[in-house]
Amino acid sequence: MDEVRVVDYHTAGEPFRIVTSVEVPGASVPDRRVFAQSSAEVDAVRQLLVNEPRGHADMYGGFVVPGNDSDADFGVLFWHKDGYSTACGHGTIALGAWAVESGLVSAPADGVTEVVIDVPSGRVVARVTCVGGSVSSVAFRNVPAYVDRRGVPVSTSRGSALADVSFGGAFYASVPAASVGLAVTPACYTDLIAVGREIKWALDSSAVHPVDPRLNGMYGTIFYDDLGSWDGGPHQRNVTVFADGEVDRSPCGSGTSARLALLYDEGRLTDGRVLRHDSIVGSTFLGRVVSEADGGVITEVEGTAYRTGTATFTLDPRDPLGTGFTLR
């Protein structure tokens, strides 16, 4: 395997490893994702970068690829320890910051620049705000989010729970943490992972996209604490347990979109109200509904991303651990 160069960012505490040197064939980003899933050569790079000792069980990243057409600045294949996701809001925020800071997309010293990115679930736009020549925030507009089902019963090791299922580029099951005797705090971390996995897998086969079967499957469980209101609207704290027990340190971008669809449906985001969405580590996204569209809503989720470093990774052919391992 050749050397793999990466640029690392974090968005609200969640890592995102950006790779520009991997070529993935396909006529579109969704097609490239299918190819990557079936290609031992491409997937070996994912494993190298996400597994220990170069990554960890909660690592996240993406391969930058061509967009679906010339209207996109680029495309991306999102990945984690268990494979390739259909959406990633925190990754989109990081990519927006990276595109401007790297000079890939030119931006004025002061103002908003739109970075158009094709992802497996559709086309998203990262609106990058610069102040004094530096990126100050990134707000991404997602594919339409919608409510799928409400009050779906699911049995867990901590009793029965009711899940609200919604789509924000991927399917999520939202459950009040208190309903399973937990809270969104680091002290409950291990139990949140265990119950989150149970709920995700119990509902996985029932999450069916109405148009594109490549988007089927329950991506994650969102546990939330309702903290009432802040000056702008609802205030909640959440943790998303996605893939197979991976934990989002950020408030989860596409998960926030899925939460926004539910809150809008409940009438809690009328008149321009904004969701303050906190994470398990205390970081914050701000989310709002921009408009109604396609049976759902267009959402905008705002956060910040910062570069944490660059690296060149190699695989010594003598290394018996090969592309690594994951401990959960």
Side-chain angles (χ1 to χ4, degrees):
M1 182 183 297
D2 295 333
E3 293 181 340
V4 182
R5 293 179 175 83
V6 306
V7 180
D8 279 1
Y9 274 71
H10 86 83
T11 305
E14 177 72 357
F16 193 75
R17 181 161 283 171
I18 300 169
V19 188
T20 60
S21 59
V22 176
E23 294 186 4
V24 184
S28 67
V29 169
D31 289 345
R32 295 175 197 273
R33 177 173 177 260
V34 171
F35 182 91
Q37 290 173 313
S38 62
S39 168
E41 183 177 358
V42 171
D43 200 54
V45 182
R46 177 192 66 84
Q47 294 175 44
L48 182 82
L49 298 177
V50 76
N51 288 343
E52 297 183 54
R54 300 166 189 84
H56 52 79
D58 297 288
M59 178 53 82
Y60 213 112
F63 298 138
V64 176
V65 297
N68 295 336
D69 57 46
S70 59
D71 290 334
D73 291 300
F74 54 87
V76 62
L77 304 180
F78 298 119
W79 43 256
H80 47 72
K81 74 176 178 66
D82 297 305
Y84 299 85
S85 57
T86 60
C88 177
H90 92 272
T92 301
I93 291 172
L95 286 164
W98 164 79
V100 167
E101 291 176 342
S102 68
L104 179 65
V105 175
S106 60
D110 295 282
V112 177
T113 299
E114 292 192 346
V115 180
V116 180
I117 307 170
D118 284 332
V119 307
S121 57
R123 176 161 289 174
V124 300
V125 178
R127 295 168 51 83
V128 183
T129 298
C130 291
V131 177
S134 297
V135 174
S136 63
S137 66
V138 181
F140 83 94
R141 290 196 177 182
N142 203 2
V143 300
Y146 63 88
V147 177
D148 184 62
R149 291 165 291 157
R150 284 188 176 272
V152 181
V154 57
S155 298
T156 80
S157 57
R158 299 183 67 89
S160 180
L162 295 177
D164 292 331
V165 178
S166 55
F167 182 85
F171 285 102
Y172 293 91
S174 288
V175 176
S179 71
V180 288
L182 299 171
V184 181
T185 64
C188 294
Y189 182 76
T190 301
D191 289 332
L192 289 165
I193 293 173
V195 182
R197 290 170 102 172
E198 293 172 359
I199 294 171
K200 177 253 172 71
W201 289 118
L203 300 179
D204 184 55
S205 62
S206 67
V208 178
H209 193 270
V211 176
D212 190 347
R214 293 172 297 190
L215 303 179
N216 290 353
M218 188 66 65
Y219 184 51
T221 303
I222 301 175
F223 292 107
Y224 66 94
D225 296 333
D226 198 318
L227 305 180
S229 299
W230 68 299
D231 291 343
H235 185 193
Q236 298 188 342
R237 179 172 54 237
N238 88 99
V239 65
T240 300
V241 182
F242 65 94
D244 189 19
E246 193 162 346
V247 177
D248 198 327
R249 276 82 172 122
S250 82
C252 186
S254 55
T256 297
S257 285
R259 292 292 304 146
L260 289 168
L262 290 166
L263 291 168
Y264 186 80
D265 184 63
E266 294 166 12
R268 297 185 64 185
L269 288 174
T270 57
D271 302 321
R273 290 170 66 79
V274 175
L275 168 66
R276 175 173 174 166
H277 217 201
D278 296 341
S279 76
I280 195 171
V281 301
S283 55
T284 300
F285 285 163
L286 298 178
R288 66 188 184 97
V289 171
V290 176
S291 63
E292 296 182 353
D294 299 332
V297 291
I298 299 298
T299 63
E300 185 172 89
V301 178
E302 180 179 355
T304 54
Y306 302 96
R307 191 171 71 166
T308 57
T310 59
T312 301
F313 291 105
T314 60
L315 176 58
D316 190 320
R318 302 168 299 170
D319 187 347
L321 292 178
T323 55
F325 57 91
T326 300
L327 291 179
R328 165 55 71 207

